[in-house]
Amino acid sequence: DSGLVTAVSLGTAKIVATSEGKSAETSVEVVPVPVGSVTIAPDTVSLKIGATRTFAAVVKDDLGNVLTDRVVRWSTSRTTVATVDSASGVVTAGDEGSATITATVDSKSATAEVRVFVPVVSVEVTLALDTLEAWDVRHMQATLRDAKGRIVTGRQVAWTVTDTAIATLNQAGVLTGVDRGTVTVTAAIDGGQPARRTFGNN
């Protein structure tokens, strides 16, 4: 009765005012609530070559209300590193490197970073000698290889030693003799099969 119009759903409605046999009309178009922000979860992820991960986009209006009826379009900055399904947000790791994944809704967008790495399938531990003197220092070397036998660099190796009373070992691979005995040194990477080597301390 007061002429107050309330939007119910998307579309166009005709509003008619009538008085004493006379009338006038106008049209009202109901449009979607403007998108205020887009966020992506997770915003950073590391994947092995060939692995997949599904990203999710959260769309909100300016008041922080979640909008569930919006179409999200996904894209990638480097298709050689990571591809993404434009509708579902499923990312597939291609080649080693980094790529930016973008989710776009209307004029708003958000980005996430994908880092793709080559899986390490073998680790070899080397040292010039199999024995060392007390308080002698040796630098361990770990050679990492991928499935094609290529050397992989730039990875963090986790070093451990069986008995620190006989020899100590830091995370830089520096082995120091402490007392007589035998120890086994282990190098591990990427949660794969570790490499071990046994040393005697004179």
Side-chain angles (χ1 to χ4, degrees), residues 46-52 80-81 92-97 115-120 146 148 150 155:
S46 296
L47 297 174
K48 294 181 181 180
I49 289 178
T52 61
T80 56
V81 174
T92 302
D95 200 0
E96 189 172 23
R115 302 186 185 101
V116 180
F117 61 93
V118 178
V120 174
D146 63 15
K148 295 183 179 180
R150 298 173 299 189
R155 302 297 172 80

Side-chain angles (χ1 to χ4, degrees), residues 43-73:
D43 58 4
T44 304
V45 67
S46 296
L47 297 174
K48 294 181 181 180
I49 289 178
T52 61
R53 182 69 179 268
T54 301
F55 284 80
V58 178
V59 184
K60 296 182 179 181
D61 63 17
D62 287 333
L63 298 178
N65 300 309
V66 176
L67 305 175
T68 60
D69 59 345
R70 304 308 162 89
V71 176
V72 181
R73 296 300 179 192

Side-chain angles (χ1 to χ4, degrees), residues 79-96:
T79 56
T80 56
V81 174
T83 59
V84 61
D85 187 281
S86 62
S88 66
V90 176
V91 172
T92 302
D95 200 0
E96 189 172 23

Side-chain angles (χ1 to χ4, degrees), residues 160-186:
T160 56
V161 65
T162 52
D163 192 343
T164 56
I166 296 174
T168 61
L169 180 67
N170 65 20
Q171 288 307 300
V174 177
L175 183 68
T176 302
V178 177
D179 201 353
R180 295 177 62 86
T182 301
V183 294
T184 298
V185 172
T186 301

Side-chain angles (χ1 to χ4, degrees), residues 98-120:
S98 297
T100 300
I101 305 300
T102 303
T104 303
V105 183
D106 297 340
S107 61
K108 302 293 183 179
S109 64
T111 60
E113 184 180 6
V114 175
R115 302 186 185 101
V116 180
F117 61 93
V118 178
V120 174

